[in-house]
Amino acid sequence: METRAEHARSFLAAADLVLDLGQDAGVVSVNNLIGSLAVLAGIAAADAICGSALGERAAGENHQEAVALLRRVSAVGDNSAAQLKRLLDVKTTTQYSPVLLGDGKATQLLSIARRLVGAMDAQLRI
């Protein structure tokens, strides 16, 4: 659980570095890399949340299992599962597709990842 939490924080920190320094460092497709790191941060955060609350995490190829597990542990009014689904819906585009993300989409994905990592940190403090 703590390892996945550290992964989530690290993916988020890496996304921030790419946001700040990526173009200067010659990173191609900065927005796709930011989006990809946001997706990975969200998945790791969900794993840590579920590990803390349930003692398990989704480990299969079907990422929708992670959404279902996160939904099980989410409080009423918590939209973490919906946020994770939004990230997972663009996973293929950010990581495998030749489609380039725009600045707005990358910023949106990073914001979603920040909320999930924030929810994870709140869960782990309980």
Side-chain angles (χ1 to χ4, degrees), residues 56-69:
E56 66 177 301
R57 67 177 179 88
E61 292 289 320
N62 182 358
H63 288 298
Q64 296 310 314
E65 292 172 8
V67 173
L69 272 180

Side-chain angles (χ1 to χ4, degrees), residues 28-52:
V28 178
S29 303
V30 168
N31 290 329
N32 282 61
L33 183 54
I34 291 168
S36 182
L37 290 165
V39 169
L40 294 172
I43 292 168
D47 287 349
I49 291 168
C50 292
S52 172

